[in-house]
Amino acid sequence: MRIGVIGTGRIGTVHANTLSRHREVGSLILTDADPARAQRLAHRLGETAAPGVDEIFRWGVDAVVITTATPAHAELIGRAARSGLPVFCEKPIALDLPGTLQALGEVAAARTVLQMGFQRRFDAGYAGAREAVRAGRLGRLHTVRALTCDQSPPPADWLPLSGGLFRDTLIHDFDILRWVTGHEVRDVYAAGSDAGPAMFREAGDVGTGAALLTLDDGTLATASATRVNGAGYDVRMELAGERDTVVVGLDDRTPLASTEPTGPPPADKPWTGFLERFAPAYEAELCAFVEVLLGRRANPCDGHEALQALRIAEACEVSRRERRAVAMAEIPAAALPGID
Ligand SMILES: NC(=O)c1ccc[n+]([C@@H]2O[C@H](COP(=O)([O-])OP(=O)(O)OC[C@H]3O[C@@H](n4cnc5c(N)ncnc54)[C@H](O)[C@@H]3O)[C@@H](O)[C@H]2O)c1
């Protein structure tokens, strides 16, 4: 099979690498708004570069992987759907709900596949936590604490394209919270701080954000994120129940220093970023996409899942701006046929 990859930046490079090595994938066509970038990667991988998106569709591919900056996702999903092509797209689908619903409507109308890039669903730690919850090993879950801390901030010119900390980063925590617990969020209270570097204020974003989320069974969850965390890249989830507690993301590379005399030593080589921390998960989700294309497995993360995660992020944005609790019922869920 031949796959088109649109967007050859940080994550596009990772996914193109995985697909290029995959024995079921014959070839790739790579493109980017910066054609020289696509060419360089194509040269390195021994694949073909196309001068633009039009060629991806004109030259003919069996599926499309969308790894552009977020504002281009929805239109490209629609275009691929209208061409009857299955799509893997990085999160989020769009920066707003109307764009998300529009793209989902196109996918539903074309009856094609849209797999979303929530790679934590393929991480061994999160899968273990889900299994522990599902098997009842924790007893009744009472508290979940999720966090995502980037070590160093993204480039300043990338921030305005990201949709902000809640839609871009915490969306991962919201998705995985639903996936691990099997519960929906009922309401949220969120706050953000722009007290760090000026680039966040200038982009209308916050550098640190936190949300208190109440799930539909009464479980309380907190999710927090920051863009500047000197100790390293720290992504964790603690789940505490009446019988036991488990933690995802606690290993010999977790960037934590205990102040206890008998505590564990600090990590020798703390995680520095998502590309190394989630490398196996990124590979696994693309291999899953190939399996979906071959009809060997069901879509592990469809557009509806991405819509739910974005709705939670939207609720958090309303909450932090209006400084009030926001019920998920306030956030529109669907306005188009074919979407539940
Ligand atoms: N799942 C994850 O953990 C994860 C991690 C990083 C990024 N992402 C997502 O992946 C996407 C890309 O992020 P990134 O960090 O790779 O950004 P990046 O800036 O490194 O790369 C984006 C690339 O897209 C290209 N591009 C932008 N608009 C385009 C268009 N219309 N047509 C063709 N090319 C276009 C840019 O030239 C750039 O090369 C974002 O949506 C981001 O949210 C997901």
Side-chain angles (χ1 to χ4, degrees):
M1 71 175 82
R2 180 149 82 159
I3 298 181
V5 178
I6 308 177
T8 54
R10 293 185 299 179
I11 205 76
T13 298
V14 173
H15 294 340
N17 258 292
T18 299
L19 293 172
S20 186
R21 284 186 273 111
H22 199 295
R23 62 188 154 89
E24 303 277 9
V25 178
S27 61
L28 302 179
I29 306 179
L30 312 177
T31 194
D32 193 283
D34 175 355
R37 182 175 288 174
Q39 242 156 18
R40 280 196 300 275
L41 182 61
H43 182 70
R44 214 165 67 227
L45 297 178
E47 304 285 357
T48 305
V53 172
D54 287 350
E55 283 74 15
I56 294 271
F57 292 96
R58 194 139 36 82
W59 292 355
V61 289
D62 300 299
V64 172
V65 169
I66 300 171
T67 43
T68 63
T70 302
H73 291 182
E75 191 201 322
L76 290 168
I77 290 171
R79 190 163 175 187
R82 289 192 297 281
S83 305
L85 293 173
V87 176
F88 176 95
C89 184
E90 266 308 331
K91 44 49 68 176
I93 290 176
L95 294 177
D96 59 14
L97 285 170
T100 301
L101 293 169
Q102 173 68 31
L104 290 182
E106 303 242 35
V107 171
R111 295 177 184 278
T112 186
V113 167
L114 170 62
Q115 182 182 326
M116 293 301 301
F118 284 109
Q119 86 284 354
R120 292 186 191 182
R121 292 177 178 223
F122 293 86
D123 176 76
Y126 285 108
R130 176 177 149 109
E131 171 55 25
V133 171
R134 300 280 158 123
R137 288 205 294 281
L138 307 185
R140 187 188 68 81
L141 196 61
H142 51 77
T143 311
V144 183
R145 292 176 284 268
L147 61 93
T148 298
C149 304
D150 286 334
Q151 182 169 32
S152 22
D157 59 357
W158 186 88
L159 275 182
L161 304 177
S162 74
L165 190 69
F166 288 91
R167 293 186 195 92
D168 176 62
T169 298
L170 277 157
I171 198 165
H172 281 291
D173 298 276
F174 302 150
D175 174 68
I176 209 67
L177 176 65
R178 294 180 60 244
W179 189 76
V180 167
T181 63
H183 286 280
E184 297 296 339
V185 172
R186 197 170 62 204
D187 52 59
V188 311
Y189 186 86
S193 167
D194 63 4
M199 62 193 278
F200 300 109
R201 278 188 295 287
E202 286 160 5
D205 198 0
V206 291
T208 302
L212 170 63
L213 310 109
T214 306
L215 307 191
D216 58 14
D217 66 342
T219 303
L220 292 181
T222 56
S224 68
T226 189
R227 299 277 198 197
V228 189
N229 190 58
Y233 181 67
D234 192 2
V235 174
R236 273 178 286 140
M237 176 181 265
E238 296 171 10
L239 297 112
E242 287 178 347
R243 199 173 302 148
D244 205 358
T245 297
V246 291
V247 54
V248 179
L250 181 64
D251 64 10
D252 58 358
R253 298 192 64 186
T254 308
L256 277 180
S258 172
T259 57
E260 300 297 339
T262 55
D268 274 346
K269 204 174 160 234
W271 297 107
T272 57
F274 55 85
L275 292 177
E276 59 167 8
R277 165 69 176 84
F278 287 114
Y282 291 129
E283 180 161 346
E285 68 176 348
L286 264 292
C287 292
F289 182 54
V290 173
E291 293 292 296
V292 171
L293 296 176
L294 293 168
R296 294 181 187 155
R297 69 173 288 173
N299 186 347
C301 185
D302 65 17
H304 175 80
E305 303 292 304
L307 171 64
Q308 297 311 323
L310 182 71
R311 288 181 65 237
I312 300 168
E314 292 290 329
C316 288
E317 281 291 356
V318 174
S319 174
R320 86 166 173 93
R321 261 186 266 111
E322 300 183 6
R323 305 180 80 85
R324 65 176 179 91
V326 173
M328 286 305 299
E330 292 182 48
I331 309 297
L336 293 166
I339 302 172
D340 299 329

